[in-house]
Amino acid sequence: MLNHDSNKMPVVVDLFSGCGGLAFGFKTAGFAIHHGIDIVQAAVNTASYNLYWRDGLEGKHLAGNVTEVDSNIFKEGIGEEGCIVIGGPPCQAYSQIGRAKLRSLGENRIHTKDARGFLFQDFIRIALELDAKAIIMENVPEAVDYGGLNVPQHVCEILEENGYRVYWTILNSANFGVPQTRERVFVIAHKTDIVQSVQFPIPTHAPEDDKITPLQSRYKRYEECTHFQMPAKADSNLPKWITAEDALSDLPALFPNSKSKYQLYKPSIQLPYAKEPENTYQQLMRNWFNKKEYTVSGHSFRRTTRDFPIFEAMKAGDDYRVASTIAEDLLEQKCKALSVDKVAQKELYEQLRAEIVPPYDREKFHSKWKKIDGDKPSHTLVAHLSTDTYSHLHPNEPRGISVREAARLQSFPDGFLFQCSMGDAFKQIGNAVPPLLAKAIAQCIKNNLLNNEKAIKDGFVV
């Protein structure tokens, strides 16, 4: 899968890199990753290994605060071909989950007072100081309304004033072969003296039906933005979206039923596949590096003993509202089996309730638990996986997904290693740009730079 294009292309500088998902897609498309930075050391270690060291390359990403960085540290080694600056400034201040968490911390911590909401300014600063030939910025859709500020539109206006031809759009990862519906904003910019028109990638996969997502229903209002580019519609004749079952069915079983013995595997432990690859996606995940994988690592999941029986009774798509009802039924069955009267034996009853029923409000908490439907792409993975994996329960086993399963749902190949704690790995995966989507964007950027006219003829939309 890895390409090494003979054409001399700009090198890539990876800001707010996380574990390197966006850069990994660019590397796969043939770009050299020159440098990168992230504030989290564990993410830097993951990116450095998978972008450089596993291929015997020198170099590593830096662990540091972008707001305190002098862009000169990235300049050494950039040749006459120049550089491309890519990255996804932190989204906590924009996302619904992040906003809710900040509100819970008090009035002084509301999202519009969160300094992370303006880190795009440092992203732009470094990109301009490096005189980047192309700039790609990713963020959550909620960035279009940050206290009334449309961040992607604002970024486009700044870059246009500085000599860039620039647009923003929204891309759904499922349309590019990722087994996950994940809609994200992308700003794509090129120097006006290099590229005459900015191209966006067209989908390679299509949904089973013509239903639109809630976000797609808002596209019309975005057309009022001068720099918004309507994403290309997926052709119905394309291969259908990759499902969660397509992505996961060949991985080793870990916990067949709620009475199974729990086993925590260290990140480096290699397990054999359950079966031969059953589809092209599984083949890709095993052969991305032009070297067939025979085992898989990072296949560990959380021990949530109280809830395994609840997970077992849940059906595809069920959320916490169903789960809490199941828990109440399990409690009632336990009380009957032990002849416990909840009034006469209140203390024992409350003890059993604590052991069986999760203590969350059914009305406020319902979206935090969800069982993946194996017949569809997974719903969006988020960084909150680092806290628990209740948002993504395995479609066939009574447990949360494993690190490797989360990676598969994000299109990280099996050879991409996460040698860190389970929590760090889940957070890195949930925050990342899926490599398959990143590769599609990178290939589009390459076509823009190499031959703008040829890119149009080859099927990339203006």
Side-chain angles (χ1 to χ4, degrees):
M1 180 87 183
L2 284 177
N3 295 323
H4 298 283
D5 199 287
S6 59
N7 293 289
K8 295 292 284 182
M9 297 295 295
V11 295
V12 172
V13 176
D14 185 19
L15 306 181
F16 305 102
S17 70
C19 67
L22 184 55
F24 188 67
F26 271 76
K27 178 182 173 73
T28 302
F31 288 92
I33 310 304
H34 173 66
H35 222 315
I37 185 171
D38 194 88
I39 200 167
V40 179
Q41 183 66 60
V44 165
N45 294 344
T46 300
S48 296
Y49 174 80
N50 291 286
L51 295 173
Y52 309 106
W53 305 336
R54 67 157 292 128
D55 295 320
L57 301 174
E58 292 186 8
K60 65 178 181 179
H61 275 30
L62 298 176
N65 189 334
V66 170
T67 65
E68 301 170 357
V69 165
D70 185 332
S71 62
N72 286 317
I73 66 172
F74 302 120
K75 289 182 179 178
E76 184 178 353
I78 294 179
E80 61 183 23
E81 293 81 17
C83 72
I84 297 171
V85 172
I86 66 174
C91 65
Q92 291 91 335
Y94 309 139
S95 71
Q96 294 296 337
I97 293 175
R99 291 184 188 188
K101 183 175 181 180
L102 288 167
R103 280 197 303 272
S104 71
L105 298 176
E107 183 64 25
N108 291 329
R109 293 296 303 279
I110 61 173
H111 70 285
T112 51
K113 294 184 179 180
D114 187 343
R116 291 174 296 183
F118 294 94
L119 286 173
F120 67 84
Q121 296 172 337
D122 286 282
F123 178 84
I124 294 172
R125 169 182 65 83
I126 293 174
L128 294 179
E129 289 175 355
L130 294 178
D131 194 30
K133 289 189 174 182
I135 300 170
I136 296 87
M137 190 185 86
E138 177 262 358
N139 220 296
V140 293
E142 292 87 349
V144 302
D145 184 9
Y146 180 54
L149 176 67
N150 184 327
V151 174
Q153 177 65 26
H154 182 59
V155 169
C156 286
E157 291 166 358
I158 295 173
L159 293 178
E160 186 174 64
E161 290 173 359
N162 284 274
Y164 288 84
R165 197 177 308 280
V166 55
Y167 298 94
W168 66 276
T169 193
I170 297 174
L171 300 176
N172 187 340
S173 297
N175 285 340
F176 297 90
V178 180
Q180 176 192 170
T181 54
R182 183 186 190 89
E183 295 172 295
R184 290 294 184 263
V185 167
F186 287 89
V187 173
I188 297 181
H190 286 281
K191 295 292 286 289
T192 55
D193 59 346
I194 298 174
V195 170
Q196 298 305 305
S197 62
V198 176
Q199 321 299 322
F200 286 90
I202 60 172
T204 58
H205 291 70
E208 288 284 353
D209 52 46
D210 290 329
K211 287 183 180 179
I212 64 172
T213 67
L215 184 59
Q216 284 175 306
S217 66
R218 287 182 259 163
Y219 285 177
K220 278 291 182 185
R221 79 176 71 163
Y222 299 150
E223 288 182 333
E224 300 173 2
C225 301
T226 55
H227 293 78
F228 176 69
Q229 178 71 48
M230 184 70 76
K233 191 177 187 319
D235 189 309
S236 59
N237 293 320
L238 290 170
K240 299 309 177 187
W241 281 353
I242 307 297
T243 69
E245 186 70 15
D246 292 335
L248 306 179
S249 66
D250 66 322
L251 293 176
L254 297 174
F255 201 69
N257 61 69
S258 61
K259 292 182 172 56
S260 299
K261 181 180 179 181
Y262 175 82
Q263 174 70 54
L264 176 62
Y265 294 106
K266 293 181 179 180
S268 59
I269 295 296
Q270 301 287 330
L271 299 175
Y273 291 103
K275 59 186 76 172
E276 290 298 311
E278 297 184 313
N279 52 59
T280 55
Y281 185 80
Q282 293 175 7
Q283 291 172 349
L284 173 60
M285 292 297 99
R286 297 194 196 191
N287 295 279
W288 191 295
F289 297 96
N290 296 324
K291 175 188 173 186
K292 185 175 181 180
E293 303 284 346
Y294 292 94
T295 57
V296 65
S297 68
H299 201 30
S300 52
F301 68 101
R302 285 198 169 89
R303 184 174 190 169
T304 52
T305 305
R306 179 198 64 200
D307 302 318
F308 289 147
I310 303 174
F311 299 160
E312 190 166 47
M314 292 174 69
K315 295 181 173 58
D318 282 353
D319 62 21
Y320 183 69
R321 289 168 292 190
V322 175
S324 61
T325 300
I326 292 170
E328 294 287 354
D329 290 342
L330 291 172
L331 173 61
E332 185 176 341
Q333 293 170 25
K334 188 75 169 180
C335 288
K336 284 184 178 179
L338 298 177
S339 299
V340 173
D341 185 285
K342 67 178 181 181
V343 176
Q345 298 168 284
K346 185 176 180 181
E347 186 174 336
L348 178 56
Y349 174 80
E350 291 300 332
Q351 179 183 332
L352 290 173
R353 169 172 282 278
E355 292 174 358
I356 296 171
V357 180
Y360 312 120
D361 188 311
R362 187 180 301 176
E363 298 307 315
K364 296 179 181 178
F365 202 76
H366 64 85
S367 63
K368 299 294 192 302
W369 289 40
K370 191 167 185 180
K371 190 157 190 174
I372 295 170
D373 186 340
D375 294 331
K376 301 176 181 178
S378 169
H379 49 290
T380 304
L381 272 72
V382 293
H384 188 72
L385 287 169
S386 63
T387 303
D388 61 60
T389 46
Y390 291 94
S391 63
H392 288 76
L393 303 178
H394 193 277
N396 302 316
E397 297 183 24
R399 58 175 175 82
I401 57 173
S402 72
V403 169
R404 181 52 57 192
E405 287 160 347
R408 276 277 185 103
L409 295 175
Q410 277 278 58
S411 75
F412 282 100
D414 296 347
F416 193 103
L417 301 185
F418 297 90
Q419 300 295 333
C420 54
S421 71
M422 189 189 306
D424 284 339
F426 278 127
K427 185 172 185 177
Q428 291 169 23
I429 294 166
N431 273 331
V433 176
L436 275 180
L437 173 57
K439 180 178 180 286
I441 294 170
Q443 190 61 55
C444 196
I445 298 299
K446 179 185 285 188
N447 286 344
N448 287 345
L449 292 171
L450 287 177
N451 188 338
N452 196 228
E453 289 185 6
K454 182 177 183 298
I456 296 172
K457 291 177 182 178
D458 284 351
F460 289 84
V461 296
V462 179

Coordinates of all heavy atoms in Angstrom, one line a residue, residues 1-3 21-31 176 201 284 288 411 433-446 460:
M1 N 0.8 -1.2 0.0 CA 0.0 0.0 0.0 C 0.9 1.3 0.0 O 0.5 2.3 -0.6 CB -0.9 0.0 1.2 CG -1.8 1.2 1.4 SD -3.3 0.9 0.5 CE -4.1 2.5 0.8
L2 N 2.0 1.2 0.7 CA 2.9 2.4 0.7 C 3.4 2.7 -0.6 O 3.9 1.9 -1.3 CB 4.0 2.2 1.7 CG 3.7 2.3 3.2 CD1 4.9 2.0 4.0 CD2 3.1 3.7 3.5
N3 N 3.3 4.0 -1.0 CA 3.8 4.5 -2.3 C 5.0 5.4 -2.1 O 5.0 6.1 -1.1 CB 2.7 5.3 -3.1 CG 1.6 4.4 -3.5 OD1 1.8 3.3 -3.8 ND2 0.4 5.0 -3.4
G21 N -2.4 10.2 12.3 CA -3.3 9.6 11.3 C -3.3 10.4 10.0 O -3.2 9.8 8.9
L22 N -3.4 11.7 10.1 CA -3.4 12.5 8.9 C -2.0 12.4 8.2 O -2.0 12.2 6.9 CB -3.7 14.0 9.3 CG -3.8 15.0 8.1 CD1 -4.9 14.6 7.1 CD2 -4.2 16.4 8.7
A23 N -0.9 12.5 8.9 CA 0.4 12.4 8.3 C 0.6 11.0 7.7 O 1.2 10.9 6.6 CB 1.5 12.7 9.3
F24 N 0.1 10.0 8.3 CA 0.2 8.6 7.8 C -0.4 8.5 6.5 O 0.1 7.8 5.6 CB -0.3 7.6 8.8 CG 0.0 6.2 8.5 CD1 1.2 5.7 8.5 CD2 -1.1 5.4 8.2 CE1 1.5 4.4 8.2 CE2 -0.8 4.0 7.9 CZ 0.5 3.5 7.9
G25 N -1.6 9.1 6.3 CA -2.2 9.1 5.0 C -1.4 9.8 3.9 O -1.3 9.3 2.8
F26 N -0.8 10.9 4.3 CA 0.1 11.6 3.4 C 1.4 10.8 3.0 O 1.8 10.7 1.9 CB 0.5 13.0 3.9 CG -0.4 14.1 3.6 CD1 -1.7 14.2 4.2 CD2 -0.1 15.0 2.6 CE1 -2.6 15.2 3.9 CE2 -1.0 16.0 2.2 CZ -2.2 16.1 2.9
K27 N 1.9 10.1 4.1 CA 3.0 9.2 3.8 C 2.7 8.1 2.9 O 3.5 7.8 2.0 CB 3.5 8.6 5.2 CG 4.7 7.7 5.1 CD 5.0 7.2 6.5 CE 6.1 6.1 6.4 NZ 7.4 6.6 6.1
T28 N 1.5 7.5 3.0 CA 1.0 6.4 2.2 C 0.9 6.9 0.7 O 1.2 6.2 -0.2 CB -0.3 5.9 2.7 OG1 -0.1 5.4 4.0 CG2 -0.8 4.7 1.8
A29 N 0.5 8.2 0.6 CA 0.4 8.8 -0.8 C 1.7 9.2 -1.4 O 1.7 9.7 -2.5 CB -0.6 10.0 -0.7
G30 N 2.8 9.0 -0.7 CA 4.1 9.2 -1.3 C 4.8 10.5 -0.8 O 5.9 10.8 -1.2
F31 N 4.2 11.2 0.2 CA 4.9 12.4 0.7 C 5.9 12.0 1.8 O 5.6 11.1 2.6 CB 3.8 13.4 1.3 CG 3.0 14.1 0.2 CD1 1.8 13.5 -0.2 CD2 3.4 15.3 -0.3 CE1 1.0 14.2 -1.1 CE2 2.7 15.9 -1.2 CZ 1.5 15.4 -1.7
F176 N -15.1 7.1 1.9 CA -13.7 6.9 1.4 C -13.2 5.5 1.9 O -12.0 5.4 2.1 CB -12.8 8.1 1.8 CG -13.3 9.3 1.2 CD1 -14.2 10.2 1.8 CD2 -12.8 9.7 -0.1 CE1 -14.6 11.4 1.2 CE2 -13.3 10.9 -0.7 CZ -14.2 11.7 -0.1
P201 N -11.3 15.6 -3.0 CA -11.5 14.2 -3.4 C -13.0 13.8 -3.6 O -13.8 14.3 -2.9 CB -10.9 13.4 -2.3 CG -10.9 14.3 -1.1 CD -10.8 15.7 -1.7
L284 N -6.5 -5.3 3.1 CA -5.7 -4.1 3.1 C -5.2 -3.9 4.5 O -4.0 -3.5 4.7 CB -6.7 -2.9 2.8 CG -6.1 -1.5 3.0 CD1 -4.9 -1.3 2.1 CD2 -7.2 -0.5 2.7
W288 N -1.0 -3.5 4.3 CA -0.7 -2.1 4.0 C 0.7 -1.8 3.7 O 1.1 -1.0 2.9 CB -1.2 -1.3 5.2 CG -1.3 0.2 5.0 CD1 -0.3 1.1 4.8 CD2 -2.5 1.0 5.0 NE1 -0.7 2.4 4.7 CE2 -2.1 2.4 4.8 CE3 -3.8 0.8 5.2 CZ2 -3.0 3.4 4.8 CZ3 -4.7 1.8 5.2 CH2 -4.3 3.1 5.0
S411 N -9.5 2.8 10.2 CA -8.7 2.4 9.1 C -7.2 2.5 9.3 O -6.4 2.6 8.4 CB -9.0 3.2 7.8 OG -8.6 4.5 7.8
V433 N -7.4 11.5 12.4 CA -8.0 11.5 11.0 C -7.8 10.1 10.5 O -6.7 9.6 10.5 CB -7.4 12.5 10.1 CG1 -7.9 12.4 8.7 CG2 -7.6 14.0 10.6
P434 N -8.9 9.4 10.0 CA -8.7 8.1 9.5 C -7.7 8.1 8.3 O -7.8 8.9 7.4 CB -10.1 7.7 9.0 CG -11.0 8.5 9.8 CD -10.3 9.8 10.0
P435 N -6.7 7.2 8.3 CA -5.7 7.2 7.3 C -6.2 7.1 5.9 O -5.7 7.7 4.9 CB -4.8 6.0 7.7 CG -4.9 6.0 9.2 CD -6.3 6.3 9.5
L436 N -7.3 6.3 5.7 CA -7.8 6.1 4.3 C -8.4 7.5 3.8 O -8.2 7.8 2.6 CB -8.9 5.1 4.2 CG -8.4 3.6 4.1 CD1 -9.6 2.7 4.0 CD2 -7.5 3.5 2.8
L437 N -9.0 8.2 4.6 CA -9.5 9.5 4.2 C -8.3 10.5 4.0 O -8.3 11.2 3.0 CB -10.5 10.1 5.3 CG -10.9 11.5 5.1 CD1 -11.6 11.7 3.7 CD2 -11.8 12.0 6.2
A438 N -7.4 10.4 4.9 CA -6.2 11.3 4.8 C -5.4 11.0 3.5 O -4.9 11.9 2.8 CB -5.2 11.0 6.0
K439 N -5.4 9.7 3.1 CA -4.7 9.3 1.8 C -5.4 9.9 0.6 O -4.8 10.4 -0.3 CB -4.6 7.8 1.7 CG -3.9 7.3 0.4 CD -3.8 5.8 0.4 CE -3.2 5.4 -0.9 NZ -4.1 5.5 -2.1
A440 N -6.8 9.9 0.7 CA -7.6 10.4 -0.4 C -7.3 11.9 -0.6 O -7.2 12.5 -1.7 CB -9.0 10.2 -0.2
I441 N -7.2 12.6 0.5 CA -6.9 14.1 0.5 C -5.5 14.3 0.0 O -5.3 15.2 -0.8 CB -7.1 14.7 1.9 CG1 -8.6 14.6 2.3 CG2 -6.6 16.1 2.0 CD1 -8.8 14.9 3.8
A442 N -4.6 13.5 0.5 CA -3.2 13.7 0.1 C -3.0 13.4 -1.4 O -2.3 14.2 -2.1 CB -2.3 12.7 0.9
Q443 N -3.7 12.4 -2.0 CA -3.6 12.1 -3.4 C -4.2 13.3 -4.2 O -3.6 13.7 -5.3 CB -4.3 10.8 -3.7 CG -4.1 10.3 -5.1 CD -2.6 10.1 -5.4 OE1 -2.0 9.3 -4.7 NE2 -2.1 10.7 -6.4
C444 N -5.2 13.9 -3.7 CA -5.8 15.0 -4.3 C -4.9 16.2 -4.3 O -4.7 16.9 -5.3 CB -7.1 15.4 -3.6 SG -8.2 16.5 -4.5
I445 N -4.2 16.5 -3.2 CA -3.2 17.5 -3.1 C -2.1 17.3 -4.1 O -1.6 18.2 -4.8 CB -2.6 17.6 -1.7 CG1 -3.8 18.0 -0.7 CG2 -1.5 18.7 -1.6 CD1 -4.5 19.3 -0.9
K446 N -1.6 16.1 -4.2 CA -0.6 15.7 -5.1 C -1.0 16.0 -6.5 O -0.2 16.6 -7.3 CB -0.2 14.2 -5.0 CG 0.9 13.8 -6.0 CD 1.2 12.3 -5.9 CE 1.9 12.0 -4.7 NZ 2.4 10.6 -4.7
F460 N -11.5 14.6 -10.4 CA -11.5 15.4 -9.1 C -12.4 16.7 -9.3 O -12.1 17.4 -10.3 CB -10.1 15.7 -8.6 CG -9.4 14.5 -8.1 CD1 -8.7 13.7 -8.9 CD2 -9.5 14.2 -6.7 CE1 -8.1 12.6 -8.4 CE2 -8.8 13.1 -6.2 CZ -8.1 12.3 -7.1

